[in-house]
Amino acid sequence: MAEAVEEGADYVMTQGATQSNHARQTAAACAKLGMKCHILLEDRTGSKDPNYNENGNVLLNDLFGATRERRSAGLDMNAELEAVAEKYRKEMGKKVYTIVGGGSNPTGAMGYVNCVYEMIQQFDEQNLDIDHICHATGSAGTQAGLVIGLKAAGADINLLGFGTKSAKEKQEENVFKLAERTAEKIGKPGLVQRADVVTNCSYVGEGYGIPAESTIEAIRMFAELESLLLDPVYSAKGAAGLIDYCRKGLFKKGEKDELSECQSLARILFWQGELSAISCDDNANRTKSGSTDLAIVTPTVP
């Protein structure tokens, strides 16, 4: 947003899924800065539920004064975004600043580079010797920023992204490309290697924004045992991976693992039916992730 202000933009445009956190945060920032906001929303889930399509973050976008239009799934949404922006520029004379989906460009990823330094400071203050950082990875900005931050800080901490939409090879390649561009932005080209980007995309379920059984279990476990609310789209899928790794012994006893997430509580109520599918009395398969020490940090979204 600072770049948009510096460039003298009067419109900020971005794109994302129907319940995009990034889109909602962009709308809020525009309202605060007195700028117009226009959002392209992609129907990635195919849900016909009016509550999903009009409530939550969609309603908040409206309250923040943003305008919006819809797109079907499978389009090149960043190309769609630029096409609309160009129309506003040519036909309406607007000075438009565009932000790619999820804010996942080098400027956006810088927020997570800074996040690493904040986490390291917190680890030091709490005398935590962290072995692994786990997180959900989608549009690539989070993981790209984290891997660059860890490399730049010289931190000996393993980073693992649990995928939320794409296959492993595609997800890792997207993250690596953005990490390379982010490294160049901070003046450290070549800082990251392809092998530094590691994901596991086995917990996506049927697709983006569609909770799997393991997603629902993670939401309930974190709520019941830690009083923490997870988002079904991102954080709960990352947590599902973490839980499964602990159960399988992939994180060893005595290792310290951190789950780093950005999420939105505005989205959690749309899955009431799925959440109710697991009885509150059915605790047979729920075990606290006590086989490892777990630190949970929710950093500020850039």
Side-chain angles (χ1 to χ4, degrees):
M1 295 304 296
E3 287 184 356
V5 172
E6 289 174 1
E7 293 181 13
D10 48 25
Y11 253 93
V12 173
M13 292 188 184
T14 193
Q15 59 90 1
T18 300
Q19 287 293 330
S20 168
N21 288 335
H22 162 71
R24 180 254 303 158
Q25 290 171 319
T26 302
C30 285
K32 182 69 174 178
L33 294 170
M35 306 171 77
K36 298 291 186 181
C37 181
H38 187 67
I39 301 169
L40 275 66
L41 295 179
E42 180 186 10
D43 180 17
R44 294 182 191 168
T45 67
S47 173
K48 303 302 181 183
D49 185 348
N51 203 34
Y52 177 82
N53 287 295
E54 301 296 338
N55 210 329
N57 282 331
V58 180
L59 174 60
L60 293 179
N61 293 338
D62 292 346
L63 289 175
F64 291 133
T67 54
R68 54 184 161 90
E69 51 189 274
R70 308 272 185 168
R71 292 291 187 275
S72 58
L75 298 175
D76 183 337
M77 287 299 292
N78 286 327
E80 292 288 316
L81 175 68
E82 289 300 331
V84 174
E86 193 59 22
K87 180 179 179 180
Y88 272 59
R89 293 180 185 116
K90 289 184 176 180
E91 298 182 9
M92 301 171 62
K94 300 299 182 181
K95 192 165 186 178
V96 182
Y97 180 87
T98 58
I99 306 175
V100 298
S104 292
N105 57 21
T107 299
M110 282 299 300
Y112 290 99
V113 175
N114 292 332
C115 171
V116 168
Y117 285 91
E118 291 179 15
M119 288 192 291
I120 290 174
Q121 180 180 350
Q122 292 174 20
F123 299 157
D124 290 342
E125 291 172 351
Q126 299 176 50
N127 294 316
L128 293 174
D129 185 14
I130 299 297
D131 298 296
H132 304 274
I133 294 177
C134 304
H135 64 98
T137 181
S139 58
T142 299
Q143 189 165 12
L146 291 176
V147 71
I148 290 298
L150 290 169
K151 284 292 185 179
D156 186 20
I157 301 175
N158 297 306
L159 181 68
L160 173 61
F162 289 111
T164 61
K165 61 175 184 177
S166 300
K168 176 181 173 65
E169 183 176 349
K170 180 179 179 181
Q171 184 64 30
E172 291 183 351
E173 188 61 27
N174 288 343
V175 172
F176 179 60
K177 287 180 179 178
L178 180 53
E180 286 186 308
R181 293 165 57 206
T182 305
E184 292 174 359
K185 186 176 181 66
I186 66 172
K188 294 182 178 295
L191 180 64
V192 64
Q193 304 301 313
R194 177 62 179 80
D196 297 322
V197 178
V198 181
T199 70
N200 185 323
C201 298
S202 303
Y203 306 93
V204 175
E206 294 182 19
Y208 176 89
I210 303 174
E213 183 177 340
S214 60
T215 314
I216 304 304
E217 182 196 26
I219 291 172
R220 284 202 170 277
M221 180 183 291
F222 273 63
E224 292 176 6
L225 299 179
E226 300 291 347
S227 298
L228 292 172
L229 298 178
L230 302 182
D231 169 13
V233 179
Y234 288 104
S235 59
K237 290 189 177 182
L242 174 61
I243 292 167
D244 193 42
Y245 268 49
C246 290
R247 284 175 172 162
K248 292 177 177 177
L250 298 176
F251 291 140
K252 305 301 182 183
K253 183 176 179 61
E255 289 184 334
K256 296 181 174 63
D257 313 311
E258 183 221 316
L259 178 65
S260 178
E261 292 300 343
C262 301
Q263 60 186 33
S264 168
L265 301 185
R267 298 194 292 202
I268 195 169
L269 297 180
F270 303 125
W271 286 269
Q272 182 177 358
E274 286 88 344
L275 289 170
S276 300
I278 301 177
S279 169
C280 291
D281 296 326
D282 181 17
N283 293 306
N285 293 320
R286 284 189 227 140
T287 59
K288 193 167 185 176
S289 53
S291 60
T292 61
D293 295 316
L294 173 64
I296 301 170
V297 178
T298 303
T300 301
V301 180

